[in-house]
Amino acid sequence: MQQEQKKRLLEVLRSLKKNRPVLRTPGLSQNEFFLLYHMREHLHRQGEDSMRIGDLHHCTHTSLPAVSQSLGVLEAKGFVVRSTDPGDRRSVKVSLTPEGDEAIETALEKARNFLNRLENKLGAENMEQLITLMEQLSEALDALWEEDAGERRNEWTAKKERQP
């Protein structure tokens, strides 16, 4: 990659970060939005009214402590309710409240409107190309993250083995 391309890419990434508030809804952070979104999608797909926290952890690709912390905030806001799984007393299930469903629907409507405006500016064909490239970027970044995580594990193991 040429130096000028690197500069342009870094500038675009900075701009994307600056524009992240587009998905924000009053009273709902971006992380909370995505957690509620994935939760609602999973519940609708499964035809259920609650799900295990571990399943939410898997479908959001978020650590269990982060999911648990976010659920605590969402529960305090009245958007979710946690309960003990009657089939497995060690397992906790989480349900979306009507207020949580309304909050996610409000946030989704805002996102839909924004994405429609974006498509009007870019055009349908460019929008499809953008989505395809961003999916490829996401996959490449995930792969690089895994490679770096592997290197960090190897460094940690080597360092541990050198210690007396």
Side-chain angles (χ1 to χ4, degrees), residues 46-60:
Q46 300 299 321
E48 298 174 353
D49 60 354
S50 66
M51 67 187 293
R52 291 180 34 239
I53 292 176
D55 293 335
L56 188 56
H57 149 70
H58 288 295
C59 72
T60 60

Side-chain angles (χ1 to χ4, degrees), residues 149-163:
E151 288 174 14
R152 287 190 300 274
R153 281 190 298 273
N154 290 341
E155 289 171 6
W156 182 80
T157 301
K159 184 177 181 181
K160 191 132 172 99
E161 288 173 352
R162 286 193 303 266
Q163 293 176 348

